[in-house]
Amino acid sequence: MKNWIFVLILLPLVTGFSCHQKMLYTPNITLKKDGQPCISIPIQKFNFFNKNNRFDIIEADVFQVGIGTLWEKEYYDFSKKYSVNTGECLRFEYQFQRNRVYSISFISAASGSKEFENGKQKIWSRDLRITTNTDGSAKLLLDLEARENN
């Protein structure tokens, strides 16, 4: 429950925006062959006719309830900006461990737009847990399923 307090109250306060002004978006998360998550901006979230499918990542973090922020990266220096296409795995430079619930979040703005300057960037957030199947392979649990039976 504390992770939702962070996402819904603390994250907007830290970024300078109140909850009622920002909608939380849900990133796509899949498992890569190495068992680590691939976190991306879903293609279907955006208008088919929108030609801009490239986004600047402004900030990203990994949070664990009871521990706090485990990893955080800010990309405020636009001379060294970090951009991704929809569907492309973001660089979360953190080694996720099995059987731990993580809350990941990041902030994006459409590349070449004034979304960041105008306060219209998107806040993405999701909970995840990587478990082990009976055959030893990794299994990804998301959101409520990730938080249950923890």
Side-chain angles (χ1 to χ4, degrees):
M1 185 65 180
K2 289 181 184 177
N3 57 342
W4 285 111
I5 292 170
F6 173 78
V7 170
L8 296 175
I9 296 172
L10 296 179
L11 183 62
L13 289 176
V14 169
T15 59
F17 303 100
S18 64
C19 283
H20 69 278
Q21 292 176 319
K22 292 290 173 193
M23 181 176 155
L24 289 177
Y25 292 84
T26 305
N28 189 37
I29 304 177
T30 58
L31 280 181
K32 298 184 284 188
K33 289 181 182 180
D34 66 358
Q36 290 296 299
C38 171
I39 301 160
S40 63
I41 296 173
I43 295 168
Q44 68 272 17
K45 288 286 182 190
F46 299 95
N47 187 331
F48 176 76
F49 298 106
N50 184 0
K51 300 293 184 207
N52 188 358
N53 289 324
R54 190 145 181 86
F55 293 85
D56 296 330
I57 304 303
I58 299 162
E59 185 175 312
D61 66 71
V62 177
F63 180 85
Q64 187 177 358
V65 175
I67 306 260
T69 301
L70 303 171
W71 175 84
E72 182 177 38
K73 185 79 172 187
E74 297 173 345
Y75 302 98
Y76 295 125
D77 183 355
F78 286 107
S79 67
K80 300 176 186 174
K81 69 179 172 179
Y82 170 42
S83 299
V84 296
N85 291 321
T86 54
E88 180 182 339
C89 297
L90 275 71
R91 277 191 318 249
F92 272 78
E93 299 159 356
Y94 182 80
Q95 188 69 29
F96 292 86
Q97 298 177 23
R98 292 194 182 182
N99 293 315
R100 295 193 182 171
V101 178
Y102 297 100
S103 293
I104 59 93
S105 63
F106 61 95
I107 301 171
S108 72
S111 292
S113 74
K114 297 288 183 186
E115 285 182 352
F116 180 68
E117 293 88 354
N118 296 337
K120 295 188 185 219
Q121 64 270 26
K122 293 174 178 59
I123 299 172
W124 301 82
S125 181
R126 197 151 195 197
D127 291 342
L128 70 94
R129 179 166 40 129
I130 302 167
T131 62
T132 306
N133 285 318
T134 55
D135 65 0
S137 62
K139 177 181 178 182
L140 179 65
L141 304 174
L142 299 171
D143 306 320
L144 182 60
E145 189 179 25
R147 294 184 301 272
E148 288 179 338
N149 303 318
N150 184 27

